[in-house]
Amino acid sequence: MSSEGDAAAIRWEPWSAAAFERARAEEKPILLGISAVWCHWCHVMDRTTYRDETVISLVNERFVPVRVDNDERPDVNARYNMGGWPSTVFLAADGTILTGATYVPPANMTGLLRDIDRFYRERRGEIADRIAEIAATRDARAALRSESAPDEACIDWTIETLVAAYDDEYGGFGTEQKFPHVDALEFLVQEYRVTGQPRLYEMVAKSVAAMASGGMYDHVEGGFFRYSTTRDWSVPHFEKMAEDHAGLLRVLSTLVQISDRTDFRDTLRSATSYVREVLYDERLQRFAGSQDADEAYYALPLEARRATPAPFVDRRAYANWNAALAGAFFSAGVALEDDRLIGVGTAVLDGMHATMLDGDGLLFHVAAPGEHPRIRGLLTDQTAYVRAALDAHEGTGEARFLERAR
């Protein structure tokens, strides 16, 4: 990963029990850096902050530095993300958060490192008391947690929350920065199919149409960018993510099936074409994780792009995103009556079954070209795979997919 190479002078350790044991033994706090190969500000922080000689010296002498790739460890990111990437998180030796931030420039980082080091050395008793307090609160919440299944009141509350956050003028949710929120869109379109409430369809249709017709979509090569920096979807942040495409293709497939709008059908064809041509590796039967942002490249017209090297594609395959995209290809294949898309979905799921399952039937999370799969047993991988296998059974009628889901 390029960002790790940029920050090589810091003696980063992987996320492991050994790193936390070292922190306990040496009585040092942990500096956790969460980054991603597609993340622009992660690269900036590596080129500036983590190349600053004072920062390097302070980190190596007074902290246990741990580096995590967001895409490889979504479980760690879910627990410790500070609101974006990079996430710069300071932890006690048991994993309790002391404080955190996102991008930190070199001048600010030097003072922050010194303050955390001083606080950790001089106020150890307060930290221990706080850790015990957090643990007690967590245990109390666990004891109160209901084991009952979600009911209709939960569904109604979710709809009300999304309606309140909906942007009536431009579609989507919130103001800016504005993300696709594909889970919310899929939830709403499925609820529309159940209830027939026109408002739910209108919210989804307007949001998807606004993204597809504006700056969030690559109108030259196809595919959605990761998010818009503006409320009206006009100025994107230019990464293209497998994860986002999985959700958006599924939502578009549903819209094609329940409406007669040709713009949804055209966008679905264009977006699946981008995924097949850029992210899909037919030889390995896998989808790549992402394509980097490059504002200058995406400003070029088609012929100029053809003469320019395309932005870097992260060829690591992530089980949850591969399964989600495979399932989306089954949905798109049915919606567009295109057996080629169903064939891609089938190939990906068969490839995952052959190469990414361990002896116990659990998926590994990541498979890089030329390497053995690794990081075993994340829940997100198993649930995405089960759903995709059910999509495959529904789309093909083939019994092996239902058996794999079971």
Side-chain angles (χ1 to χ4, degrees):
M1 174 176 163
S2 59
S3 59
E4 290 177 355
D6 289 344
I10 291 176
R11 295 191 288 272
W12 296 106
E13 297 189 24
W15 178 270
S16 66
F20 285 86
E21 182 53 44
R22 181 189 155 199
R24 278 188 289 271
E26 298 181 9
E27 297 186 337
K28 293 178 178 178
I30 289 172
L31 165 61
L32 172 62
I34 305 176
S35 62
V37 70
W38 41 262
C39 166
H40 169 73
W41 285 103
C42 300
H43 299 319
V44 172
M45 193 162 175
D46 282 337
R47 289 194 302 267
T48 56
T49 304
Y50 289 139
R51 281 188 174 178
D52 181 272
E53 293 298 328
T54 304
V55 169
I56 292 169
S57 177
L58 286 168
V59 170
N60 286 337
E61 290 175 10
R62 304 183 191 181
F63 294 83
V64 175
V66 174
R67 187 67 170 253
V68 166
D69 181 290
N70 166 77
D71 299 345
E72 292 196 357
R73 294 303 304 259
D75 54 330
V76 177
N77 177 72
R79 181 173 181 180
Y80 290 112
N81 192 284
M82 291 287 109
W85 297 272
S87 276
T88 307
V89 198
F90 295 93
L91 308 176
D94 76 325
T96 300
I97 297 172
L98 301 174
T99 190
T102 51
Y103 168 76
V104 184
N108 296 31
M109 188 66 161
T110 301
L112 182 59
L113 290 168
R114 290 191 172 117
D115 288 344
I116 294 297
D117 171 58
R118 186 182 309 110
F119 175 81
Y120 200 74
R121 283 185 289 105
E122 296 177 358
R123 304 175 74 172
R124 191 69 52 84
E126 290 180 37
I127 294 172
D129 290 343
R130 179 61 179 150
I131 289 171
E133 197 177 297
I134 290 170
T137 302
R138 185 169 57 236
D139 292 343
R141 286 177 180 165
L144 292 171
R145 198 168 293 143
S146 171
E147 295 183 2
S148 62
D151 57 17
E152 289 192 12
C154 177
I155 294 172
D156 292 341
W157 177 87
T158 305
I159 292 173
E160 290 169 6
T161 302
L162 293 174
V163 169
Y166 179 69
D167 182 345
D168 276 298
E169 185 172 359
Y170 293 106
F173 304 95
T175 53
E176 54 191 43
Q177 304 165 333
K178 191 175 276 185
F179 288 81
H181 293 297
V182 291
D183 290 340
L185 294 175
E186 186 175 0
F187 170 80
L188 290 172
V189 79
Q190 294 301 343
E191 279 302 299
Y192 167 73
R193 298 185 82 168
V194 172
T195 67
Q197 295 180 48
R199 171 66 166 160
L200 305 185
Y201 169 79
E202 291 162 7
M203 290 168 65
V204 177
K206 183 167 185 172
S207 299
V208 173
M211 284 186 271
S213 63
M216 267 281 291
Y217 198 77
D218 182 352
H219 298 281
V220 177
E221 292 180 324
F224 289 89
F225 298 116
R226 189 164 71 96
Y227 69 92
S228 174
T229 62
T230 58
R231 180 185 171 195
D232 63 357
W233 307 104
S234 61
V235 182
H237 216 276
F238 289 93
E239 305 94 348
K240 293 181 180 179
M241 309 294 297
E243 178 182 28
D244 295 332
H245 279 86
L248 287 165
L249 293 182
R250 190 182 284 273
V251 172
L252 274 164
S253 298
T254 303
L255 290 171
V256 167
Q257 291 176 304
I258 64 177
S259 77
D260 57 1
R261 288 181 55 165
T262 58
D263 57 335
F264 291 146
R265 184 175 295 271
D266 292 344
T267 302
L268 182 58
R269 283 202 185 99
S270 171
T272 53
S273 177
Y274 162 75
V275 173
R276 285 181 62 200
E277 292 174 9
V278 178
L279 300 184
Y280 183 55
D281 186 321
E282 187 172 6
R283 181 179 64 85
L284 295 176
Q285 298 178 318
R286 296 173 183 165
F287 294 111
S290 61
Q291 186 173 24
D292 272 6
D294 187 334
E295 184 174 355
Y297 176 84
Y298 288 117
L300 297 172
L302 178 59
E303 291 305 317
R305 283 198 201 181
R306 287 175 175 169
T308 306
F312 171 77
V313 174
D314 176 13
R315 289 294 168 189
R316 289 174 295 180
Y318 304 96
N320 54 338
W321 298 352
N322 265 254
L325 264 175
F329 265 60
F330 284 110
S331 299
V334 171
L336 296 174
E337 300 179 333
D338 188 340
D339 289 342
R340 295 172 303 167
L341 303 181
I342 293 174
V344 170
T346 301
V348 170
L349 287 187
D350 284 342
M352 292 178 70
H353 182 76
T355 65
M356 295 189 76
L357 284 169
D358 70 4
D360 297 322
L362 286 177
L363 283 158
F364 289 95
H365 177 62
V366 59
E371 299 179 5
H372 291 293
R374 52 194 169 82
I375 308 175
R376 171 184 179 272
L378 297 184
L379 181 60
T380 181
D381 298 328
Q382 322 312 317
T383 56
Y385 183 73
V386 169
R387 184 183 190 188
L390 293 174
D391 290 333
H393 177 65
E394 183 177 354
T396 67
E398 296 184 20
R400 72 180 188 275
F401 292 116
L402 184 59
E403 184 56 35
R404 290 174 189 173
R406 288 197 179 106

